[in-house]
Amino acid sequence: MRGNIAQLMQQAQRMQENVQRAQEELAKIEVTGNAGGGMVSVTLTGRMECRKVRIDPSVISDAEMAEDLIAAAFNDAVNKVNAESQAKMSAATAGMPMPPGMKMPF
């Protein structure tokens, strides 16, 4: 029994190190979301910080369309960051069963 607890604690410590490494890697990534066939693009970091917004000049003449495309591009970028985050966190916690409903990162 004691060996199982020690092994579980070592496994939890390795998982914590892996999660920290994955979070550091995520902070460095940049993803680009697009909308309108590339007429608008938004680049975000893994920490959801906006790095760049590119808007095709032809979109600017229609403010409502520009707003919609910017929102869509931003949402596309957020979805890509979330997918990347989920993939990295799944890899970081591989082999360690997580309680149902527990989301990573904390």
Side-chain angles (χ1 to χ4, degrees), residues 14-29:
R14 279 192 307 271
M15 183 188 73
Q16 183 179 12
E17 291 166 0
N18 290 342
V19 167
Q20 184 176 357
R21 193 174 311 112
Q23 287 173 333
E24 290 168 2
E25 290 173 15
L26 280 170
K28 295 176 186 175
I29 68 165

Side-chain angles (χ1 to χ4, degrees), residues 5-100:
I5 292 173
Q7 184 180 13
L8 186 61
M9 292 299 289
Q10 288 175 345
Q11 197 174 14
Q13 184 175 1
R14 279 192 307 271
M15 183 188 73
Q16 183 179 12
E17 291 166 0
N18 290 342
V19 167
Q20 184 176 357
R21 193 174 311 112
Q23 287 173 333
E24 290 168 2
E25 290 173 15
L26 280 170
K28 295 176 186 175
I29 68 165
E30 287 189 359
V31 299
T32 301
N34 294 294
M39 295 175 76
V40 173
S41 64
V42 174
T43 302
L44 298 179
T45 68
R47 290 187 175 168
M48 303 290 186
E49 296 169 343
C50 186
R51 290 286 185 223
K52 182 170 37 171
V53 176
R54 191 194 66 74
I55 303 171
D56 188 284
S58 65
V59 175
I60 295 173
S61 62
D62 184 348
E64 189 174 336
M65 181 174 73
E67 291 168 355
D68 290 345
L69 291 175
I70 292 167
F74 185 83
N75 289 335
D76 184 41
V78 167
N79 289 334
K80 288 178 180 179
V81 169
N82 286 337
E84 189 71 27
S85 177
Q86 186 175 7
K88 287 197 181 293
M89 289 303 158
S90 292
T93 60
M96 184 75 169
M98 301 302 292

